[in-house]
Amino acid sequence: EESLQMWDLNKRLEAYLARVKFLEEENEVLRAEIQSTKSSPAGDSWRVKYEEELRALRDALDRAFREKCTAELARDNLYEEVQQVKSRCQKEQAAREEAKKQLSLSRKELEEERRAQIWLKERAVQLEKEVEALLEVHEEEKAGLDQEIASFSHSLESFRCAPVAFQPVEVEDYSKRLSEIWKGAVETYKAEVSQLEGSLCQAKESLWKAVEDNQQSQLQLQHLEKDLAGLKARKELLEESLAQQWQEQRGEAEKFQLAMEALEQEQQSLRAQIARVLEDRQQLMHLKMSLSLEVATYRTLLEAESTRLQLPAG
């Protein structure tokens, strides 16, 4: 039994010694690799490259932040310009409404002037008819007076005993009165006609003025419509450029975010690899310590067994 136990212990010892030797060799290899990675310029270059990449990403992030600030400033400026354009459009809309109101007032005045002109024309026709009637009445009265004068002259010739200077004086006075009345009527007619002509000229002038004001208001309205169309086009261009800048900025931010996430993942993977290497090394150390303890115990057992076997022989 003791020989079988010793044989089993020898087999186990050989297996443990072989495993300890293998682990020591692997540990030495890992130690050499760690030392080489620590002392070799490749590790430094990798670390420098990693730091350079981090520095470049930080610089890119700073540039993106600065570009974001500039884009925000541009956005604020564009918003102010849009607000100014809106206020200008509102002012132009108010001016357009005012021009429309003035146009409607001028149209009303034009209609009133046309009505006044029509009334003046009708009044002139009526006065012309009245003048023609007065002329006819005057002609009839004149013919009647001529007939009366002729009959009166015949009566004078028949009645020679009557005073000579009495009737002609009355006839002359009557004719003078009639001529004065006719002159007064003609003067009043001329005054009314001149007044009607003056009012007609004023109506024509006001009509031309209303037409010119209408044309000017239409031209101003056309200019305002053109300015409004230009401002609308400029507003659309500004909105398109703002949307494009926002899209570009969003795409760049997404790219930088993806790059940062990739670097963070790589950093986490490197940390995990380092942690695994350290854990493997720790496990190897613990295994080495346990194996060394087992070897020491086996050595003591072997020494005790050898001393026990040597004692009877002695």
Side-chain angles (χ1 to χ4, degrees):
E1 290 178 358
E2 289 178 357
S3 65
L4 289 173
Q5 288 178 358
M6 288 298 294
W7 183 74
D8 190 11
L9 287 173
N10 287 325
K11 292 292 182 181
R12 289 178 66 186
L13 182 60
E14 288 177 359
Y16 278 116
L17 289 174
R19 188 174 179 185
V20 167
K21 187 176 181 181
F22 175 74
L23 289 173
E24 284 180 354
E25 290 176 356
E26 191 175 3
N27 194 6
E28 290 295 331
V29 171
L30 289 172
R31 188 178 295 166
E33 287 180 357
I34 291 169
Q35 291 294 327
S36 64
T37 53
K38 285 183 179 179
S39 61
S40 66
D44 296 332
S45 65
W46 179 79
R47 185 177 295 174
V48 169
K49 186 177 180 182
Y50 179 70
E51 289 178 356
E52 287 179 355
E53 287 180 357
L54 283 175
R55 195 180 297 110
L57 288 172
R58 286 173 183 172
D59 294 333
L61 188 61
D62 293 332
R63 285 197 300 273
F65 183 73
R66 287 195 294 272
E67 288 177 358
K68 183 181 178 182
C69 292
T70 54
E72 287 178 354
L73 290 173
R75 182 192 63 188
D76 295 333
N77 293 324
L78 289 173
Y79 182 74
E80 290 178 357
E81 288 182 0
V82 168
Q83 292 296 326
Q84 291 177 1
V85 168
K86 284 182 179 179
S87 63
R88 189 174 177 185
C89 288
Q90 290 176 358
K91 289 179 181 179
E92 289 183 356
Q93 189 71 23
R96 186 177 178 182
E97 294 293 332
E98 188 67 25
K100 286 182 179 179
K101 289 180 181 178
Q102 290 180 0
L103 182 62
S104 62
L105 290 174
S106 62
R107 284 177 180 173
K108 288 180 181 178
E109 290 178 356
L110 183 62
E111 292 293 331
E112 290 177 358
E113 292 295 333
R114 285 178 181 174
R115 290 175 184 174
Q117 187 178 4
I118 291 168
W119 181 79
L120 289 172
K121 286 180 180 179
E122 291 176 354
R123 183 65 177 167
V125 171
Q126 187 178 0
L127 288 173
E128 286 178 356
K129 289 180 180 179
E130 289 179 358
V131 169
E132 288 177 357
L134 288 172
L135 288 172
E136 289 177 357
V137 170
H138 180 67
E139 291 292 334
E140 289 176 357
E141 289 179 355
K142 188 177 180 182
L145 288 172
D146 290 334
Q147 289 178 2
E148 288 178 359
I149 289 167
S151 62
F152 189 73
S153 64
H154 286 299
S155 63
L156 282 175
E157 288 178 357
S158 61
F159 296 99
R160 292 180 180 178
C161 60
V164 178
F166 182 72
Q167 282 298 116
V169 172
E170 289 181 357
V171 171
E172 288 178 359
D173 291 334
Y174 187 69
S175 64
K176 285 179 180 179
R177 286 179 184 177
L178 286 175
S179 63
E180 287 176 359
I181 290 167
W182 172 250
K183 287 179 180 179
V186 170
E187 287 177 358
T188 53
Y189 173 71
K190 287 181 179 179
E192 289 180 357
V193 170
S194 62
Q195 188 177 0
L196 288 172
E197 287 179 353
S199 62
L200 185 62
C201 291
Q202 289 179 1
K204 286 182 179 179
E205 288 178 358
S206 61
L207 181 63
W208 282 109
K209 188 175 180 181
V211 171
E212 289 178 356
D213 292 334
N214 190 6
Q215 290 178 357
Q216 289 179 0
S217 62
Q218 286 180 357
L219 291 173
Q220 188 176 3
L221 185 62
Q222 290 177 359
H223 287 301
L224 289 173
E225 287 178 352
K226 288 180 181 179
D227 293 335
L228 183 62
L231 290 172
K232 284 182 179 178
R234 187 178 177 186
K235 181 182 177 183
E236 290 177 357
L237 289 173
L238 290 173
E239 288 178 352
E240 289 178 357
S241 63
L242 183 61
Q244 188 175 4
Q245 287 181 1
W246 272 106
Q247 289 179 358
E248 290 178 355
Q249 186 178 1
R250 189 177 296 172
E252 290 178 357
E254 289 177 354
K255 288 180 181 178
F256 286 122
Q257 189 68 27
L258 291 173
M260 289 295 293
E261 289 177 357
L263 286 173
E264 287 179 357
Q265 290 178 359
E266 187 177 358
Q267 186 178 3
Q268 290 178 0
S269 65
L270 289 172
R271 286 179 180 175
Q273 289 178 3
I274 292 168
R276 284 196 298 272
V277 170
L278 291 173
E279 188 176 359
D280 292 336
R281 185 177 178 184
Q282 192 72 24
Q283 289 178 359
L284 288 173
M285 292 294 291
H286 286 297
L287 185 61
K288 183 179 179 181
M289 289 174 68
S290 63
L291 289 173
S292 63
L293 288 173
E294 288 181 359
V295 167
T297 54
Y298 280 120
R299 282 177 182 174
T300 54
L301 287 172
L302 288 173
E303 288 176 356
E305 187 67 24
S306 63
T307 53
R308 191 175 65 81
L309 292 173
Q310 288 176 6
L311 281 176

